[in-house]
Amino acid sequence: QFATKGGDTLQGNLLTVKEVAQRLNLSDWMVRKFLRNGWLIGSKVSLEWRIEPESVERFIQERRNKPAS
């Protein structure tokens, strides 16, 4: 599971783009691309994305189960 600095984020247990990027070892830009393409599920709060931890876990599991091309 995810742990954020100081416990939960300000938006409950939703994650920021930066937190997800660190967890997935990706750039912030790539995480935003995945959000725009629907590969990760999140919501815009003002100008910032907030991502459900379950969406990130599902994304990781799908990538693990995907056969290599």
Side-chain angles (χ1 to χ4, degrees):
Q1 288 294 0
F2 292 97
T4 58
K5 197 181 263 188
D8 289 340
T9 63
L10 294 176
Q11 300 294 323
N13 65 349
L14 298 177
L15 304 168
T16 65
V17 168
K18 186 169 287 309
E19 290 169 327
V20 174
Q22 290 172 346
R23 171 70 168 100
L24 298 177
N25 199 27
L26 297 170
S27 68
D28 293 2
W29 179 87
M30 188 63 72
V31 171
R32 286 187 189 92
K33 178 180 177 181
F34 288 173
L35 287 160
R36 287 191 302 272
N37 289 337
W39 299 335
L40 286 169
I41 298 170
S43 301
K44 279 272 192 122
V45 177
S46 189
L47 297 176
E48 297 293 323
W49 283 99
R50 294 294 183 260
I51 302 102
E52 299 175 9
E54 296 82 11
S55 172
V56 179
E57 291 297 331
R58 195 168 34 253
F59 178 83
I60 292 169
Q61 290 302 316
E62 288 171 359
R63 295 299 172 251
R64 283 186 185 148
N65 297 330
K66 187 176 180 180
S69 299

